[in-house]
Amino acid sequence: MIWTIIVYIVVGLIVGWLAGQFVRGGGFGMVGDIIVGIIGGIIGGWIFGYIWPGFAATFVGWVIDSLIGAIILVAIIRAVKRA
């Protein structure tokens, strides 16, 4: 359990920054990008857990599904922010 939380934080560091680079506009700052990355990783893991079970069995799979979840979350946040 604690290992999963540590991996979410580490992946959140990487993915939060990457998601900010993929989606247009400025980032949310270092802490904001990390938080978005962690939440996006949880969202991505949840989505891919239903769509493609076992995809995140490796670290690379975890990064990919977390990145997709973080990109979705950043796009939603920025769309709401503009409205």
Side-chain angles (χ1 to χ4, degrees), residues 2-76:
I2 190 72
W3 174 250
T4 305
I5 294 169
I6 292 170
V7 172
Y8 270 125
I9 292 170
V10 171
V11 171
L13 290 166
I14 300 165
V15 170
W17 178 79
L18 283 174
Q21 300 302 311
F22 279 111
V23 181
R24 280 197 219 171
F28 299 107
M30 183 184 292
V31 175
D33 285 345
I34 292 170
I35 292 170
V36 167
I38 293 169
I39 295 171
I42 293 168
I43 292 170
W46 180 72
I47 290 171
F48 275 92
Y50 285 108
I51 296 174
W52 194 353
F55 179 74
T58 64
F59 185 75
V60 174
W62 205 337
V63 170
I64 291 170
D65 72 2
S66 296
L67 178 61
I68 292 170
I71 289 172
I72 291 169
L73 183 62
V74 169
I76 290 170

